């Protein structure tokens, strides 16, 4: 009876040790994955920062090409709309960056900016519907 109990408890102890070893191995793998994820995220952010195109640098060639190929009857509206969009985008980026500097995460900063978006839904719908720049400006004044 004594040897049977000894073997039984010895087997249980071996199973326990194997379980502890597996848990330790899984924990080490998890730690390594977290390290790799942090390194990858850092590298991604560095690449984004290094290659981030500012809106004022945005493809001058594409802009000129678009304008030169635009129908002259709508060219002025297209130019106004592109400039308006570029300005609005830059202002949004500046506002988001300012919110981030106050300690908010990027996602929270975008949410805060979106809640206080200076463009009404009506104005956005007008832009999407293709209203002229002058019509949109007139609407925004009211």
């Amino acid at each position: 009876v004594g040897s049977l109990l000894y073997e039984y408890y010895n087997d249980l102890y071996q199973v326990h040790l194997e379980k502890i070893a597996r848990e330790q191995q899984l924990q080490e793998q998890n730690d390594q994955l977290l390290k790799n994820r942090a390194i990858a995220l850092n590298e991604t952010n560095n690449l984004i920062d290094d290659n981030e195109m500012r809106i004022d640098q945005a493809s001058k060639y594409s802009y000129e090409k678009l304008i030169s190929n635009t129908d002259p009857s709508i060219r002025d509206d297209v130019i106004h709309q592109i400039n308006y969009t570029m300005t609005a985008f830059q202002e949004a980026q500046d506002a988001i960056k300012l919110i981030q500097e106050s300690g908010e995460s990027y996602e929270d900063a975008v949410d805060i900016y979106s809640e206080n978006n200076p463009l009404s839904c009506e104005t956005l719908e007008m832009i999407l519907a293709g209203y002229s720049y002058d019509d949109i400006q007139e609407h925004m004044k009211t």
Side-chain angles (χ1 to χ4, degrees):
V1 173
S3 66
L4 279 173
L5 284 175
Y6 175 77
E7 287 178 24
Y8 175 74
Y9 285 115
N10 192 33
D11 289 342
L12 283 178
Y13 183 66
Q14 290 303 320
V15 169
H16 176 70
L17 290 178
E18 289 171 4
K19 182 179 175 183
I20 289 174
R22 277 195 312 257
E23 287 175 357
Q24 189 175 23
Q25 184 181 15
L26 288 174
Q27 185 60 42
E28 289 171 1
Q29 288 175 348
N30 189 35
D31 291 345
Q32 187 62 38
L33 285 173
L34 290 176
K35 274 178 155 178
N36 291 346
R37 185 175 293 148
I39 290 169
L41 182 61
N42 189 31
E43 289 298 317
T44 301
N45 288 337
N46 287 342
L47 284 173
I48 290 171
D49 289 344
D50 291 345
N51 295 318
E52 184 176 340
M53 181 180 288
R54 292 175 36 93
I55 192 68
D56 56 340
Q57 300 169 336
S59 187
K60 300 267 187 210
Y61 172 75
S62 295
Y63 177 82
E64 294 300 326
K65 185 177 175 183
L66 174 70
I67 298 304
S68 68
N69 291 331
T70 303
D71 181 1
S73 65
I74 62 167
R75 184 174 290 143
D76 287 340
D77 285 340
V78 170
I79 290 171
H80 287 303
Q81 191 59 50
I82 290 173
N83 290 337
Y84 176 79
T85 302
M86 288 172 59
T87 302
F89 181 78
Q90 185 61 49
E91 288 172 359
Q93 293 300 314
D94 292 344
I96 289 170
K97 197 169 275 191
L98 185 65
I99 294 169
Q100 277 184 292
E101 288 172 0
S102 71
E104 299 290 340
S105 70
Y106 179 78
E107 291 80 13
D108 290 341
V110 170
D111 289 342
I112 291 169
Y113 177 78
S114 296
E115 291 171 4
N116 300 306
N117 188 353
L119 294 177
S120 68
C121 289
E122 243 178 61
T123 304
L124 289 173
E125 287 172 2
M126 288 178 74
I127 292 170
L128 293 174
Y131 280 80
S132 73
Y133 174 77
D134 294 329
D135 290 341
I136 294 169
Q137 289 293 359
E138 187 63 36
H139 172 74
M140 290 179 68
K141 289 178 185 176
T142 59

